């Protein structure tokens, strides 16, 4: 099982000091977080894609390429690649290039995003969000597997005999996760192709996540890719830790109250009770994360959000140390207990290449 960090890359004032980091500082901080994740023994770093304030990661492959040059083991991913508003030809080429630079340590998570104005900025209509996701991925899937592609669809100009370059490393395309919080059509899409399904898992209660994951697993089996238990599932989660739970609550509350993603809503206590957010001790994070398996089954990837809402970089790096030293080693051991032998590990380039070679 893989454990890692995902960042939405928000530039948010620190509510305890009033200071807002510069965009440069925030970008550099995201790089520092990725390097710390590898140092702490985590497996994955993922960055979001946004094209609007208060977020900075508008060019994920640029950032991940830079991180690739400074790491050796870390799997580099996106927390969202906007399949609806990005040209699938450019996605195919950018991520194949990144694959080569990173020696295969690359995958990506496709999503529609949650910022409505992005659609017209990139010449699209938000009312066509699902059809765009379906059509664009159908093309992307072919571009990585075929040369001389002929294509005609609704949302982009036709292609005639087009070959995306470079070709995927070793002929093995990057592994794709389809990320969705609430859209069953995206779970269906992931199942149809036999790809992974990633549920953000920081907003909604467990019963909603359970329904989405169960739908994906059932449809994965329906399309003949394996049993429901063999489907590839990833989950998010948001944590803030201190050795003492009350210290964590006291320190995190002002950040939660103004968080761009979910501030100005339910209280911290209500939110932690009703959603996967965990604010407390490392042991509380362990216990709540292990409980994810009760409604998601045995899954392959767990990513944590730790740098949201204006938290100082020093504090974020402390969170990663706690994950690496006290939380993830226990989770690795406990998630392995009772895991059926036929449940696959998280996909890696090496494993998928070996499988392709028979």
């Amino acid at each position: 099982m893989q454990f890692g960090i995902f960042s939405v890359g928000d530039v948010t004032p620190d509510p305890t000091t009033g200071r807002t980091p510069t965009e440069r500082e925030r970008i550099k901080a995201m790089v520092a977080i990725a390097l710390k994740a590898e140092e702490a023994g985590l497996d994955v770093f993922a960055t979001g894609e946004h094209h609007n304030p208060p977020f900075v990661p508008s060019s994920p492959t640029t950032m991940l390429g830079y991180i690739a040059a400074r790491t050796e083991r870390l799997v580099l991913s996106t927390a969202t690649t906007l399949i609806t508003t990005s040209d699938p030809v450019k996605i195919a080429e950018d991520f194949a290039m990144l694959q080569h630079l990173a020696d295969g340590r690359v995958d990506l998570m496709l999503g529609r995003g949650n910022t409505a104005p992005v659609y017209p900025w990139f010449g699209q209509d938000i009312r066509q969000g699902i059809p765009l996701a379906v059509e664009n991925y159908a093309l992307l899937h072919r571009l990585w597997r075929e040369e001389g592609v002929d294509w005609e669809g609704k949302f982009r100009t036709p292609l005639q005999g087009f070959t995306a370059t470079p070709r995927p490393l070793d002929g093995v395309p990057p592994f794709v996760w389809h990320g969705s919080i609430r859209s069953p059509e995206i779970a269906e899409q992931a199942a149809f192709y036999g790809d992974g399904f990633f549920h953000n898992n920081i907003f909604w209660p467990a019963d909603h996540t359970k329904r989405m994951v169960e739908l994906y697993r059932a449809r994965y089996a329906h399309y003949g890719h394996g049993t429901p238990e063999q489907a590839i599932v990833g989950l998010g989660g948001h944590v803030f830790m201190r050795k003492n739970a009350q210290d964590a609550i006291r320190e995190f509350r002002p950040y939660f109250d103004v968080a761009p993603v979910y501030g100005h809503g339910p209280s911290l206590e209500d939110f932690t009770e009703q959603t996967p957010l965990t604010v407390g001790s490392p042991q509380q994070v362990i216990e709540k994360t292990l409980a994810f398996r009760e409604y998601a089954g045995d899954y392959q990837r767990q990513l944590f959000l730790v740098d949201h809402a204006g938290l100082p970089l020093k504090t974020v790096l402390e969170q990663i140390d706690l994950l690496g030293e006290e939380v993830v080693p226990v989770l690795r051991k406990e998630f392995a207990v009772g895991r059926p032998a036929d449940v696959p590990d998280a996909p890696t380039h090496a494993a998928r290449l070996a499988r392709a070679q028979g």
Side-chain angles (χ1 to χ4, degrees):
M1 186 168 174
Q2 293 176 336
F3 296 91
I5 299 295
F6 75 99
S7 175
V8 297
D10 58 305
V11 180
T12 306
D14 183 331
T16 67
T17 66
R19 185 181 184 277
T20 303
T22 66
E23 291 180 323
R24 179 182 184 277
E25 288 172 331
R26 188 66 172 100
I27 291 167
K28 292 287 190 177
M30 291 175 69
V31 173
I33 289 165
L35 301 183
K36 186 65 163 181
E38 176 160 284
E39 176 189 317
L42 304 185
D43 306 304
V44 183
F45 172 79
T47 173
E49 178 187 348
H50 297 276
H51 299 277
N52 57 290
F55 305 99
V56 293
S58 59
S59 181
T61 52
T62 303
M63 173 172 284
L64 295 178
Y66 182 76
I67 294 169
R70 302 186 61 185
T71 55
E72 297 179 356
R73 185 185 52 79
L74 201 63
V75 175
L76 307 172
S77 183
T78 52
T80 306
T81 294
L82 298 177
I83 188 63
T84 48
T85 53
S86 299
D87 184 355
V89 172
K90 194 69 170 76
I91 295 174
E93 294 182 335
D94 283 352
F95 281 88
M97 176 68 77
L98 182 58
Q99 254 197 324
H100 287 272
L101 291 172
D103 298 321
R105 295 183 289 124
V106 173
D107 56 36
L108 69 162
M109 187 191 309
L110 300 179
R112 292 182 294 136
N114 58 9
T115 306
V118 172
Y119 283 80
W121 293 341
F122 287 85
Q124 300 296 349
D125 183 342
I126 192 172
R127 293 170 295 184
Q128 298 297 320
I130 293 293
L132 275 163
V134 172
E135 180 177 299
N136 283 353
Y137 184 59
L139 175 55
L140 176 60
H141 191 269
R142 287 187 61 191
L143 290 171
W144 274 334
R145 291 163 175 82
E146 302 175 28
E147 298 181 11
V149 172
D150 294 327
W151 170 266
E152 186 170 353
K154 180 179 179 181
F155 298 108
R156 76 172 321 279
T157 54
L159 297 173
Q160 293 182 343
F162 180 79
T163 299
T165 60
R167 304 305 297 153
L169 178 64
D170 302 317
V172 178
F175 185 76
V176 170
W177 302 83
H178 298 259
S180 180
I181 298 173
R182 62 187 182 277
S183 301
E185 297 92 339
I186 301 303
E188 175 78 14
Q189 183 181 44
F192 177 80
Y193 288 100
D195 295 335
F197 177 68
F198 189 93
H199 195 279
N200 181 286
N201 206 39
I202 64 173
F203 299 110
W204 293 70
D207 60 342
H208 172 81
T209 303
K210 182 176 187 290
R211 288 194 299 272
M212 290 289 287
V213 172
E214 286 182 347
L215 170 64
Y216 161 67
R217 289 187 183 278
R219 300 303 287 172
Y220 181 95
H222 169 80
Y223 289 114
H225 301 299
T227 67
E229 293 75 21
Q230 292 172 327
I232 308 299
V233 174
L235 296 179
H238 189 176
V239 301
F240 185 84
M241 295 172 285
R242 288 303 183 200
K243 297 286 187 179
N244 181 284
Q246 291 305 312
D247 290 340
I249 293 169
R250 182 175 60 253
E251 184 175 348
F252 188 66
R253 186 182 302 279
Y255 296 94
F256 173 87
D257 288 345
V258 299
V261 170
Y262 45 56
H264 312 287
S267 70
L268 176 59
E269 286 74 14
D270 286 345
F271 211 85
T272 53
E273 180 182 351
Q274 297 169 15
T275 78
L277 173 66
T278 312
V279 180
S281 68
Q283 183 59 38
Q284 288 173 310
V285 171
I286 290 168
E287 291 172 0
K288 194 161 187 177
T289 306
L290 287 174
F292 294 171
R293 185 164 58 175
E294 296 174 6
Y295 55 85
D298 288 287
Y299 61 109
Q300 283 74 22
R301 175 175 286 184
Q302 175 65 55
L303 300 183
F304 295 104
L305 177 64
V306 297
D307 69 331
H308 180 51
L311 286 167
L313 178 59
K314 177 178 180 293
T315 301
V316 174
L317 299 182
E318 291 168 351
Q319 297 297 301
I320 297 173
D321 275 333
L322 286 170
L323 284 172
E325 294 168 4
E326 300 192 31
V327 174
V328 168
V330 177
L331 292 177
R332 288 193 198 279
K333 180 180 177 181
E334 293 299 321
F335 272 119
V337 174
R339 189 181 182 92
D342 62 343
V343 172
D345 293 329
T348 64
H349 182 78
R352 297 176 69 229
L353 176 59
R355 179 178 172 185
Q357 294 175 337

